[in-house]
Amino acid sequence: EARFHAPTFEAGLRAALPGYRAVHAQEVLTLTRLPLLGIDTHPLPGLNRATLVTRLRWEGRPLTVVNAHPGAVQVSAALRDPARLRRSRDLRAAQLDVLTALTRRTPGPLILGGDLNTPPRGPAYRALRQAVGPDAFQRAGRGPGWTYPGLGLRIDHQFSRGLRAPRARVLPWTLSDHRPLLVEYRP
């Protein structure tokens, strides 16, 4: 999740990460130093959000990175408006359907990452893990891995297929309310 609406965000990001190329769609961002083979965007239902699909060349072969930010279910609305809760739940389910279908039809090594608004439990997390592959932090991280420290949650993830993640860690950061998840991958 990137905050391109903030006037200093992109300049701060470039200063903090020299040598990286940034590609983005709506509020999602992929940073890379790898050769770029192509970019696609796929709208997610509602909320004016998109999924960014970045194709890269890594270790002499193509790698697809799918960056997404599906909405969260508005549980707080349940007390005031149960119908709003149902609409929020149904919209999120439709967004997850788009992500799982997209990852299943994409061949080869793949990483699905981003602010997925789901803790490492429950049906949404299981569906994404089943569609793509293991969660890098769950396999190679240590500690709670809070990517959203304001609430003590790990809701940002990287799932991968055709890759091995020997290391994963959450970094300190001040340019967002989320912390970046740094994962080292091997073929």
Side-chain angles (χ1 to χ4, degrees):
E1 175 184 3
R3 299 179 178 270
F4 283 101
H5 61 276
T8 60
F9 177 79
E10 193 163 357
L13 189 63
R14 289 187 190 285
L17 299 165
Y20 282 82
R21 179 175 181 168
V23 292
H24 61 91
Q26 304 293 23
E27 80 294 346
V28 292
L29 164 75
T30 299
L31 296 161
T32 184
R33 292 185 292 189
L34 298 173
L36 188 62
L37 300 176
I39 302 165
D40 290 318
T41 59
H42 300 268
L44 290 176
L47 300 175
N48 196 26
R49 294 187 179 183
T51 297
L52 175 63
V53 178
T54 308
R55 289 179 308 285
L56 305 165
R57 170 108 15 232
W58 178 66
E59 299 283 325
R61 62 184 183 162
L63 168 68
T64 302
V65 176
V66 178
N67 192 326
H69 182 210
V73 175
Q74 301 298 314
V75 176
S76 61
L79 298 175
R80 296 184 314 274
D81 184 359
R84 183 174 171 203
L85 173 65
R86 284 189 295 279
R87 286 190 306 272
S88 171
R89 180 202 61 210
D90 294 346
L91 181 61
R92 179 168 167 79
Q95 292 171 349
L96 292 172
D97 287 346
V98 168
L99 287 176
T100 57
L102 175 64
T103 57
R104 284 187 173 133
R105 74 174 178 258
T106 302
L110 181 135
I111 298 169
L112 166 65
D115 175 2
L116 301 177
N117 277 315
T118 188
R121 63 184 184 283
Y125 178 87
R126 285 192 304 273
L128 293 171
R129 190 180 63 211
Q130 183 178 22
V132 180
D135 172 356
F137 191 85
Q138 194 169 46
R139 284 271 172 105
R142 292 201 170 112
W146 292 337
T147 58
Y148 192 71
L151 294 176
L153 295 172
R154 182 164 70 89
I155 58 174
D156 302 78
H157 305 282
Q158 289 185 33
F159 299 94
S160 65
R161 176 177 67 223
L163 304 168
R164 186 174 56 86
R167 280 188 240 170
R169 64 187 174 120
V170 176
L171 302 174
W173 196 249
T174 58
L175 293 177
S176 172
D177 55 347
H178 292 254
R179 291 187 177 155
L181 174 59
L182 177 65
V183 178
E184 177 184 320
Y185 286 103
R186 303 255 165 99

